[in-house]
Amino acid sequence: MSKRPEPLFPLFADIETLEGVGPKIAKHLAQIDIDKPRDMLFTLPYSVIDRRRRASVQGADLPATLTVEVTVGQHRHPRSRGGAYRINVEDAQTGFQLVYFHARDEYLRRILPTGSKRVVSGKVELFDGIAQMVHPDHVVLPEEAGDIPAFEPVYPLTAGVTQKTMAKAARSALERAPELQEWIDPLQKAKAGWPDWHEAVGAAHAPTSLADLAATAPARERLAYDEFLAHQLTLALARAKLRRAKGRESHGTGKLQARVLENLAFRPTGAQTRAINEIAADMGKPQRMNRLLQGDVGAGKTLVAFMALLIAVEAGGQGVMMAPTEILARQHLDGLRPLAESAGVVVEILTGRDKGAERKAKLAALERGDIQILVGTHAVFQKDVEFHDLRLAIVDEQHRFGVRQRLELGKKGAGADVLVMTATPIPRSLALAQYGDMDVSVLDEKPPGRQPIKTAMVSTVRMDEVVDHLRKAVAEGKQAYWVCPLVEESESVDLTASEERFKHLRAALGEGRVGLVHGQMPPAEKDAAMAAFQRGETSVLVATTVIEVGVDVPNATIMVIERAEIFGLAQLHQLRGRVGRGSGASTCLLMYQAPLSESGERRLTTLRDTEDGFRIAEVDLEMRGAGDLIGTAQSGLPRFRVADMENQAALLAVAQTDARKLLTDDPELDTERGRAARVLLWLMEQDQAIRLISVG
């Protein structure tokens, strides 16, 4: 079924085919991502107005929206221009006023003639002890009272679109909703007490109480589950495709690994050993490995990655490790070199800087198999890069690297295993949504010898004390980072620039003791400043956030972050992780400008109170929402209309299990439920997933 199923055609028709939607309204609706009847169907009301008929406004808890039948009394004209036009009315028990501003006299006399009966509905409030309904929402003849809904759904709006238009369009979209075969596992559906799809859509658009608007209301929960299921099916299909792709069995001999372990100054943590074993088991299988290695700052990912690369080399093949930037690629190279030397393995780097003869020579060596491990930037993707026998591709820092690139990297080595590393701890719900197609290994222990970092909050008014503290530390031979938020003085923002701070600290600590690195510097200058700090020639490195990835300086034990309150939590956590890498006790000073906003304070206190990156990520997710956490534009996160990833993580987990089980039982989606699931994928516009189902 590679074409959209016919029952869904009406939902994918032109939006203007909906009642009351012309070219102008269509343009407005596009502003809130409603381009076709299907989108209208999944745009659910966020509130509900109770418009059930009452006998009288008397006894109601005001202000409230009320619907009553009234007898129209006298009209009272406004005393001044633009004043209130009042109409006295009587319901079964009491009198009140209908009030209009800027009203046309003849229009009001026509719709509300004195002496007639009308049913009115609107918000009633008390003004000076008199009940008033200002601009009623509905005024109808008693015989037409059925036109006023007992419960009126309230839809999200955009400029130029009214509630009436939205309600009409939603009704019209509902009339086209077809009856569809069930794609949810019958046991799951019965256990959760969910309605059928058609019934669920109808109910979600017709709430009769606030309880019906809750995410846990059966109709809404079912529609949220459908979105999760479609998304997880797409990921599971991508995973199955990677799995089905014949892998190569890579069995390590353990010889090279043993050499590395002998030369290590410490023993790997339990978490590292577990991760290495999981990876080795995957690499030994005939299917392709597709695994995520998640580890907090300083959890020892480099060692795990290198052991995995050695398995590829021991099996007679090659490995490649890819980083998003050149500075990171070089950092990896520096981290791997000593390990490679102890194993006697050839490691080389390939970046955009390699040109001409040098590049040619590297490519030839790679193709001959003389280079066993290649480290590089996305330059390793280029057409002319050929491996002798690529067994393992390791990709660093996932966010910048989606499913598509993972498949592409795999093409370089037929059946190469893929390991993705990220240093950003990801809360479980996000990991499920973003990496649902991967198996996950987590490094949740710090290697021995990593010192806990003492974190303190200091107000900027105590700047002089901080500089004094630094002077003493530097005299004892310690090194420090000083992170500034911006590069040059910008008048609009009251932030200390790195240039200014650099001059200030140089004056306080002595000429040659302070280095400077910022984004605007030419790369060579930047590298020189970093290198001087690494060698210990400078004691303090003033920097903008360019250091959050990059240099490892074990002797650096102090991290000062100026105006810490304007940084994100994840960024602060990454910056702090630059210290505490050696044997000395480390401190991180969060300098803030008082008064702190509530969210600023929560970020800084969270950081002060815990070093657990996963806990920090959870708080970050609560505070910022999923899209922001990984940058919505490139996050590859699905945009759900009904489901809420952060608050329905448990539902998402059920959907993942369900999707994987369905594909295990029915890989081609050919059974009755499988065919229904294909319709769900079309309905949720997961067309790419449909293409992943192998043909035949």
Side-chain angles (χ1 to χ4, degrees):
M1 183 166 79
S2 54
K3 288 207 302 292
R4 183 179 292 133
E6 208 161 306
L8 298 182
F9 286 179
L11 293 180
F12 285 84
D14 193 326
I15 189 79
E16 289 179 38
T17 55
L18 291 181
E19 199 191 333
V21 180
K24 207 162 146 194
I25 297 285
K27 268 211 183 79
H28 291 315
L29 287 175
Q31 295 296 309
I32 46 174
D33 295 324
I34 300 177
D35 302 309
K36 48 194 166 309
R38 169 210 171 271
D39 304 334
M40 194 64 233
L41 210 56
F42 291 118
T43 303
L44 301 185
Y46 65 88
S47 183
V48 61
I49 298 170
D50 182 347
R51 290 199 192 275
R52 285 175 297 184
R53 282 274 289 279
R54 297 172 54 103
S56 170
V57 300
Q58 199 163 351
D61 202 1
L62 301 183
T65 299
L66 304 174
T67 308
V68 291
E69 184 173 325
V70 297
T71 305
V72 182
Q74 70 185 77
H75 287 231
R76 294 183 12 222
H77 291 269
R79 297 205 182 97
S80 59
R81 247 190 88 179
Y85 186 113
R86 301 170 192 276
I87 304 168
N88 289 339
V89 294
E90 296 272 337
D91 64 26
Q93 295 170 15
T94 184
F96 62 100
Q97 294 180 340
L98 305 183
V99 180
Y100 288 90
F101 293 94
H102 308 290
R104 294 200 317 282
D105 184 343
E106 74 273 32
Y107 165 74
L108 290 177
R109 288 194 181 279
R110 195 172 70 245
I111 65 161
L112 288 156
T114 301
S116 64
K117 290 211 179 299
R118 291 288 185 269
V119 173
V120 295
S121 182
K123 191 171 181 190
V124 180
E125 303 190 61
L126 279 180
F127 282 101
D128 295 332
I130 300 166
Q132 299 186 344
M133 187 184 287
V134 179
H135 288 275
D137 304 317
H138 302 269
V139 175
V140 298
L141 296 165
E143 54 271 28
E144 289 165 6
D147 293 354
I148 301 177
F151 295 95
E152 185 179 15
V154 183
Y155 289 94
L157 296 181
T158 177
V161 181
T162 62
Q163 282 299 342
K164 270 203 179 92
T165 308
M166 286 295 275
K168 199 183 284 180
R171 257 201 317 277
S172 172
L174 277 169
E175 282 160 16
R176 306 180 178 200
E179 294 280 353
L180 298 173
Q181 291 294 313
E182 188 52 77
W183 47 74
I184 295 179
D185 174 51
L187 287 171
Q188 165 65 24
K189 186 178 164 206
K191 191 175 111 191
W194 289 332
D196 288 344
W197 181 78
H198 190 271
E199 190 192 327
V201 190
H205 280 277
T208 58
S209 68
L210 289 176
D212 292 345
L213 299 167
T216 47
R220 289 211 171 208
E221 192 173 69
R222 143 128 222 178
L223 295 175
Y225 186 76
D226 291 342
E227 281 190 310
F228 283 152
L229 183 63
H231 169 61
Q232 288 295 330
L233 270 172
T234 304
L235 288 173
L237 282 161
R239 167 191 165 97
K241 188 180 169 77
L242 282 164
R243 284 285 155 100
R244 269 202 309 271
K246 270 274 159 276
R248 303 272 306 281
E249 291 187 34
S250 298
H251 296 284
T253 58
K255 268 203 192 121
L256 300 174
Q257 298 175 66
R259 276 193 216 160
V260 172
L261 291 174
E262 276 162 31
N263 284 295
L264 278 184
F266 55 86
R267 293 191 40 204
T269 63
Q272 283 175 314
T273 307
R274 187 176 62 233
I276 294 166
N277 292 339
E278 287 167 348
I279 292 165
D282 277 0
M283 290 178 72
K285 287 181 190 151
Q287 296 88 14
R288 301 248 305 252
M289 168 168 79
N290 188 27
R291 188 171 278 281
L292 175 71
L293 176 64
Q294 240 190 303
D296 204 349
V297 185
K301 286 181 297 297
T302 307
L303 179 66
V304 175
F306 188 64
M307 289 305 207
L309 290 164
L310 286 184
I311 295 171
V313 176
E314 288 173 353
Q318 293 164 297
V320 64
M321 185 159 181
M322 254 195 63
T325 62
E326 185 163 333
I327 195 164
L328 255 180
R330 295 198 178 277
Q331 169 82 11
H332 282 313
L333 184 69
D334 296 341
L336 296 179
R337 267 226 171 100
L339 296 170
E341 278 164 14
S342 64
V345 176
V346 181
V347 179
E348 197 42 88
I349 187 166
L350 182 70
T351 70
R353 274 197 208 176
D354 292 303
K355 300 272 187 292
E358 192 187 349
R359 179 180 159 90
K360 265 209 181 82
K362 277 186 189 177
L363 294 184
L366 196 62
E367 207 169 343
R368 284 196 307 272
D370 295 351
I371 296 175
Q372 293 163 297
I373 294 173
L374 182 69
V375 177
T377 55
H378 53 125
V380 304
F381 271 142
Q382 287 159 349
K383 287 248 182 336
D384 58 350
V385 179
E386 295 284 342
F387 289 85
H388 176 65
D389 177 11
L390 179 63
R391 297 292 187 100
L392 172 66
I394 298 185
V395 183
D396 185 26
E397 273 313 332
Q398 170 65 15
H399 318 322
R400 311 187 177 85
F401 206 83
V403 175
R404 205 174 299 113
Q405 287 97 323
R406 299 211 282 267
L407 291 166
E408 196 162 299
L409 189 62
K411 285 185 205 138
K412 284 280 178 209
D417 288 319
V418 178
L419 178 68
V420 172
M421 299 201 305
T422 169
T424 316
I426 304 151
R428 176 137 189 270
S429 59
L430 272 190
L432 277 179
Q434 217 189 351
Y435 311 114
D437 59 321
M438 308 183 83
D439 297 302
V440 183
S441 293
V442 178
L443 296 180
D444 47 13
E445 301 171 47
K446 289 246 161 100
R450 285 294 306 238
Q451 297 290 326
I453 302 167
K454 185 172 172 270
T455 304
M457 291 163 62
V458 186
S459 161
T460 42
V461 294
R462 293 169 54 195
M463 177 74 74
D464 295 345
E465 286 175 51
V466 173
V467 176
D468 277 344
H469 174 75
L470 208 55
R471 193 183 289 112
K472 290 193 192 90
V474 168
E476 291 165 16
K478 293 180 180 159
Q479 283 179 284
Y481 291 102
W482 188 297
V483 178
C484 297
L486 274 186
V487 178
E488 62 265 7
E489 285 290 331
S490 88
E491 284 115 339
S492 58
V493 200
D494 165 33
L495 297 177
T496 26
S498 49
E499 303 271 356
E500 288 302 309
R501 183 59 59 227
F502 170 62
K503 288 177 196 151
H504 171 188
L505 290 174
R506 208 172 47 181
L509 305 174
E511 278 294 322
R513 312 300 321 243
V514 186
L516 173 66
V517 183
H518 61 64
Q520 264 69 337
M521 289 164 90
E525 270 184 50
K526 214 188 285 189
D527 292 349
M530 288 277 204
F533 185 61
Q534 234 165 341
R535 289 193 300 267
E537 289 159 21
T538 50
S539 306
V540 178
L541 186 63
V542 175
T544 51
T545 52
V546 286
I547 60 162
E548 64 184 288
V549 294
V551 219
D552 200 353
V553 182
N555 191 42
T557 54
I558 298 166
M559 168 66 69
V560 180
I561 304 174
E562 199 168 337
R563 293 304 304 271
E565 76 277 9
I566 66 173
F567 289 93
L569 245 180
Q571 206 179 16
L572 288 168
H573 180 59
Q574 291 285 343
L575 284 169
R576 172 171 64 181
R578 292 288 115 205
V579 296
R581 290 172 170 251
S583 50
S586 295
T587 36
C588 172
L589 294 180
L590 303 171
M591 291 188 76
Y592 63 89
Q593 189 162 315
L596 274 176
S597 69
E598 202 176 321
S599 63
E601 181 157 12
R602 184 167 177 207
R603 283 202 300 276
L604 299 188
T605 50
T606 301
L607 204 74
R608 181 191 64 197
D609 298 340
T610 178
E611 270 195 77
D612 176 353
F614 288 92
R615 174 73 202 113
I616 288 169
E618 292 286 353
V619 174
D620 211 6
L621 178 62
E622 280 166 34
M623 290 182 68
R624 287 204 289 164
D628 287 350
L629 204 57
I630 41 194
T632 306
Q634 35 85 351
S635 66
L637 275 184
R639 304 222 350 242
F640 296 125
R641 283 180 185 264
V642 183
D644 172 354
M645 214 163 57
E646 292 149 53
N647 298 316
Q648 295 181 299
L651 202 59
L652 178 58
V654 176
Q656 185 191 50
T657 314
D658 196 11
R660 288 187 174 185
K661 182 175 184 309
L662 174 59
L663 283 175
T664 308
D665 301 345
D666 179 13
E668 302 300 329
L669 296 181
D670 280 337
T671 60
E672 197 176 341
R673 185 181 164 207
R675 286 197 300 276
R678 287 177 180 232
V679 175
L680 168 70
L681 290 170
W682 280 108
L683 175 66
M684 294 302 177
E685 302 186 282
Q686 296 283 348
D687 313 15
Q688 73 213 56
I690 315 266
R691 289 196 288 278
L692 285 171
I693 301 173
S694 62
V695 184

